[in-house]
Amino acid sequence: MVTPEGTLELSLVEVPITEPQADQVMIRVEASPINPSDLGLLLGGADMSTAQVSVTSGHPLVTASISEGAMRSLAGRVGVSMPVGNEGAGTVIAAGTSDAAQALLGRTVAVAGGAMYAQFRCVSAALCLVLPEGTPARVGASSFVNPLTALGMVETMRREGHSALVHTAAASNLGQMLNRLCLEENVPLVNVVRKPEQEEILTTLGATYVCNSTSPTFMTDLSAAISETSATLAFDAIGGGKLASQILTAMEAASLATPQSYSRYGSTIHKQVYIYGGLDPSPTVLTRGFGMAWGLGGWLLTTFLQSLEPAAFQSLRERVASGLTTTFASTYTKEVSLAEALQPEAFSVYSKQATGEKYLINPHTM
Amino acid sequence: MVTPEGTLELSLVEVPITEPQADQVMIRVEASPINPSDLGLLLGGADMSTAQVSVTSGHPLVTASISEGAMRSLAGRVGVSMPVGNEGAGTVIAAGTSDAAQALLGRTVAVAGGAMYAQFRCVSAALCLVLPEGTPARVGASSFVNPLTALGMVETMRREGHSALVHTAAASNLGQMLNRLCLEENVPLVNVVRKPEQEEILTTLGATYVCNSTSPTFMTDLSAAISETSATLAFDAIGGGKLASQILTAMEAASLATPQSYSRYGSTIHKQVYIYGGLDPSPTVLTRGFGMAWGLGGWLLTTFLQSLEPAAFQSLRERVASGLTTTFASTYTKEVSLAEALQPEAFSVYSKQATGEKYLINPHTM
């Protein structure tokens, strides 16, 4: 909850459990990841270095200050306690009277239902992805956000007429998944990372093109990789700074390398960067030396999913379920309880969104 | 011509006149505007404060320095003398044997043939727009770039599902044209200008929404105008600085004013800014506080025209011809000869692209 005074309050609250309606099931949530996409709602842009932890009704209560600037974009949620947790997995322990709901009784399911940082969650049976028999909840906890984002990137590439991809923050859980997916699908992928150890992670995973944006040869490396792959579409998790501009510049240079008549408007090949994250919250700075055939924009998984036919969505979900231990496998650095997630040793780590630091909540541990 | 040493050379050269082929006509060019879109090719990014004028073979020769940075994007034209002048009008004084060409003999025509800063220009008859009987060449000189850009903006708005427009540098020749067109078509238009006298120009022309980006109340004014018009598409001639970001921010604020459930990804209404000019060559700076449903990109008239069916293109051209003295009228501050265009008192003015300073070349005056 964000208070009108500009304070974030993170609390654990006990609420009554409702009976599932005919088409609903009750899930005992056993695993729910803390994704970068959860942090916006969870932390509300608060300055977590100001965080104080106290205890209320036997549960931790975290309070932290939100700057005036951050408050401006939070008007819509002030005073409203908002449950958090985009996705998770667990066991169906009760079901409504419908056949669809009854069929799920006892099964382990994954769901992107929101409000998953909870011990129990009642959702529509139709939202549930039934995990293959014997799959632990932990393995299915991240069945939606990252897998569908990776699949959505490749699908967007095909739909919009591109044939290769650039991805930034490429050593992330999602980035590793995208790397595996692109290798399987023979989609050339240029991975952009920020640290030598991240280069190594991707090289070990068989990535062909890995460029380090902090290297002095970055622009040369990036241009060479984009030239070899003919990538004209990038997905950028960083958002701020000059990275999007550098990618467009490298794409334009690659486009102009093919002989063509000079035009002061640059190449006619369309170059596109989609910003899907905001690891760097500073302004995006574009040095427009990449012609006129370019686009930059936001990319949101839910908007992409809404553009799919139901059958296409179902087929993506089934593909994820069958690849949970291979293509779409997630790894976690730490498993915490709900109360532990509200302790400084946890939030000081996961609030940084550092690559390779991914937390999993198990709401039934203490 | 740009030399390998980084010098721009502007010269007048005498070349032999060729006979029109069967489907061609020879135009005696009598009027050709200096548009912002001509200046990139004409000046090649040279620093015109370094310009020197000498005389070679009885004609002026201008030389000016080009910075190393600007040279990087000019590789494709180094050492190649490039004729300039996107559009113009004049009298057909000779024609090829085809019926189409013969039909134009003696008529005043407008053409976007390129290389129009010339006394005579041989082009395909099919490219010619025949001006209404009695129209002086001067009146038809700007029949393509500005009129088709204004029509293209409104057409793009309809195609992409928007219902109102924002336009920057809105007091320009093009901006005044767009204002007239939008008034005729009942398209709400938010005009953004930089000076009080430009506000007055547009208000006098019947513009409903005029916002001055240098006013302390700019963001409030812009947000109110965008809110009233529901504009979600902007065409920006400025390019650099924070204006595109301010427009997206105001659009998002207007979208969020309608009651809806809070989403940390902002409104789901797509907001788009197309950059079609670069009056401010500094970087574009985006402070991404406008959600995820947004796009920014380049917009180029030729790309738009290529997307049109031939019949649609012809109908736009005819519409321009019939509105040359009304909707699509252009005004010029000065008429110069080819030689005068290469004198400091001329290029020091038109190279600044100041609103309200538009030059017309008449290649047959001395």
Side-chain angles (χ1 to χ4, degrees):
Chain A
M1 184 163 81
V2 170
T3 72
E5 295 75 31
T7 300
L8 169 75
E9 292 183 4
L10 297 180
S11 58
L12 289 182
V13 181
E14 292 186 40
V15 292
I17 292 181
T18 55
E19 279 294 301
Q21 294 176 5
D23 62 345
Q24 290 184 323
V25 295
M26 177 62 72
I27 302 169
R28 180 183 188 270
V29 181
E30 286 142 12
S32 178
I34 302 181
N35 287 319
S37 53
D38 291 307
L39 293 177
L41 188 57
L42 185 70
L43 306 180
D47 177 357
M48 291 305 285
S49 71
T50 66
Q52 304 277 340
V53 186
S54 58
V55 175
T56 306
S57 316
H59 298 300
L61 171 73
V62 181
T63 55
S65 308
I66 304 176
S67 72
E68 262 185 63
M71 280 299 286
R72 273 197 286 279
S73 61
L74 298 174
R77 61 174 287 193
V78 167
V80 185
S81 186
M82 310 198 84
V84 194
N86 284 321
E87 64 181 337
T91 311
V92 174
I93 55 163
T97 51
S98 73
D99 289 350
Q102 285 292 319
L104 299 182
L105 254 181
R107 295 298 303 260
T108 306
V109 298
V111 69
M116 298 299 291
Y117 296 166
Q119 294 188 307
F120 300 93
R121 179 79 175 89
C122 188
V123 298
S124 161
L127 285 180
C128 294
L129 176 66
V130 181
L131 299 178
E133 206 62 77
T135 308
R138 183 190 160 98
V139 169
S142 296
S143 293
F144 289 88
V145 180
N146 281 351
L148 292 176
T149 300
L151 287 165
M153 289 172 175
V154 172
E155 175 65 19
T156 299
M157 177 197 83
R158 295 202 173 110
R159 255 194 222 179
E160 300 187 2
H162 306 273
S163 59
L165 285 174
V166 177
H167 187 225
T168 74
S172 66
N173 227 300
L174 168 62
Q176 296 182 26
M177 214 174 264
L178 183 65
N179 179 59
R180 288 192 294 268
L181 181 62
C182 287
L183 286 172
E184 279 173 29
E185 306 238 333
N186 289 314
V187 172
L189 172 68
V190 178
N191 296 281
V192 178
V193 298
R194 288 167 292 180
K195 293 179 181 166
E197 55 268 34
Q198 295 165 343
E199 291 182 64
E200 206 180 309
I201 291 174
L202 285 161
T203 308
T204 307
L205 292 173
T208 314
Y209 303 99
V210 187
C211 303
N212 185 335
S213 61
T214 62
S215 156
T217 60
F218 175 60
M219 276 310 286
T220 316
D221 301 343
L222 181 66
S223 298
I226 286 178
S227 187
E228 284 179 45
T229 56
S230 299
T232 47
L233 176 63
F235 285 92
D236 176 30
I238 310 292
K242 58 186 182 175
L243 188 54
S245 189
Q246 288 175 316
I247 293 169
L248 289 168
T249 302
M251 287 176 176
E252 177 70 357
S255 303
L256 290 175
T258 347
Q260 57 203 284
S261 63
Y262 172 78
S263 161
R264 82 168 200 91
Y265 298 115
S267 92
T268 55
I269 296 171
H270 185 78
K271 299 157 289 292
Q272 180 72 39
V273 175
Y274 286 118
I275 295 178
Y276 75 94
L279 292 176
D280 178 349
S282 76
T284 312
V285 179
L286 303 174
T287 305
R288 305 181 317 285
F290 34 74
M292 291 298 277
W294 63 277
L296 178 73
W299 191 90
L300 193 60
L301 176 61
T302 47
T303 308
F304 166 76
L305 294 178
Q306 280 157 12
S307 75
L308 289 176
E309 298 291 323
F313 182 44
Q314 183 55 26
S315 116
L316 290 187
R317 296 202 328 168
E318 283 164 13
R319 179 151 179 205
V320 172
S322 68
L324 279 176
T325 57
T326 54
T327 318
F328 303 111
S330 288
T331 53
Y332 306 95
T333 40
K334 192 146 189 179
E335 194 166 317
V336 292
S337 69
L338 286 167
E340 283 166 346
L342 298 190
Q343 295 304 319
E345 50 272 35
F347 62 67
S348 66
V349 176
Y350 65 67
S351 67
K352 287 203 188 95
Q353 304 182 47
T355 295
E357 290 284 4
K358 198 171 181 72
Y359 275 56
L360 185 72
I361 293 180
N362 180 338
H364 292 278
T365 56
M366 288 298 153
Chain B
M1 185 162 82
V2 170
T3 72
E5 295 75 31
T7 300
L8 169 75
E9 291 184 5
L10 296 180
S11 59
L12 289 182
V13 182
E14 293 187 36
V15 291
I17 293 182
T18 55
E19 279 294 302
Q21 294 176 6
D23 62 344
Q24 290 185 324
V25 295
M26 176 62 72
I27 302 169
R28 180 183 188 270
V29 181
E30 286 143 11
S32 178
I34 302 182
N35 287 318
S37 53
D38 291 307
L39 293 177
L41 188 57
L42 185 70
L43 305 180
D47 176 357
M48 292 306 285
S49 72
T50 67
Q52 304 277 339
V53 186
S54 58
V55 174
T56 306
S57 317
H59 298 301
L61 172 72
V62 181
T63 55
S65 307
I66 305 176
S67 71
E68 263 185 62
M71 280 298 286
R72 273 197 285 278
S73 62
L74 298 174
R77 62 173 286 193
V78 167
V80 184
S81 185
M82 310 196 86
V84 193
N86 283 323
E87 65 181 337
T91 311
V92 174
I93 56 163
T97 51
S98 72
D99 289 351
Q102 285 291 320
L104 300 183
L105 255 180
R107 295 298 302 261
T108 306
V109 298
V111 67
M116 297 299 292
Y117 296 166
Q119 293 187 308
F120 300 93
R121 180 79 173 89
C122 188
V123 298
S124 163
L127 285 181
C128 295
L129 176 67
V130 181
L131 299 178
E133 206 63 74
T135 308
R138 184 190 160 98
V139 170
S142 297
S143 293
F144 289 88
V145 179
N146 281 352
L148 291 177
T149 299
L151 287 164
M153 288 172 175
V154 172
E155 175 64 21
T156 299
M157 177 198 82
R158 295 201 172 112
R159 257 195 221 177
E160 301 187 0
H162 306 273
S163 59
L165 285 173
V166 178
H167 187 224
T168 73
S172 66
N173 227 299
L174 168 62
Q176 296 182 26
M177 215 173 264
L178 183 66
N179 179 58
R180 288 192 294 268
L181 181 62
C182 287
L183 286 172
E184 280 174 28
E185 306 237 334
N186 289 315
V187 172
L189 172 67
V190 178
N191 296 280
V192 178
V193 298
R194 287 167 292 179
K195 293 178 183 166
E197 56 267 36
Q198 295 166 342
E199 291 182 65
E200 205 180 310
I201 291 173
L202 284 161
T203 309
T204 307
L205 292 173
T208 313
Y209 303 99
V210 187
C211 303
N212 185 337
S213 60
T214 62
S215 154
T217 59
F218 175 60
M219 277 310 286
T220 316
D221 302 344
L222 181 66
S223 299
I226 287 177
S227 186
E228 283 179 44
T229 56
S230 299
T232 45
L233 175 63
F235 285 91
D236 175 31
I238 309 293
K242 59 184 181 176
L243 188 54
S245 189
Q246 288 174 317
I247 293 169
L248 289 169
T249 303
M251 287 176 176
E252 177 70 357
S255 302
L256 290 176
T258 345
Q260 57 205 283
S261 64
Y262 171 77
S263 161
R264 81 167 200 93
Y265 298 115
S267 92
T268 56
I269 296 171
H270 185 78
K271 300 157 288 291
Q272 180 72 38
V273 175
Y274 285 119
I275 295 179
Y276 75 94
L279 292 175
D280 178 350
S282 75
T284 312
V285 179
L286 303 174
T287 305
R288 305 181 316 287
F290 33 75
M292 291 299 277
W294 62 277
L296 178 73
W299 190 90
L300 192 60
L301 176 61
T302 48
T303 308
F304 166 75
L305 293 178
Q306 279 157 14
S307 76
L308 288 177
E309 297 292 323
F313 181 44
Q314 184 55 28
S315 116
L316 290 188
R317 295 203 326 168
E318 284 164 12
R319 177 151 181 205
V320 173
S322 68
L324 280 176
T325 57
T326 53
T327 319
F328 302 111
S330 288
T331 52
Y332 306 95
T333 39
K334 191 145 190 181
E335 193 166 317
V336 292
S337 68
L338 287 167
E340 284 167 346
L342 299 191
Q343 296 302 320
E345 50 273 34
F347 62 67
S348 66
V349 176
Y350 65 68
S351 67
K352 286 202 190 98
Q353 305 182 49
T355 295
E357 290 284 3
K358 196 171 184 73
Y359 275 55
L360 185 71
I361 292 180
N362 180 339
H364 292 278
T365 56
M366 289 296 155

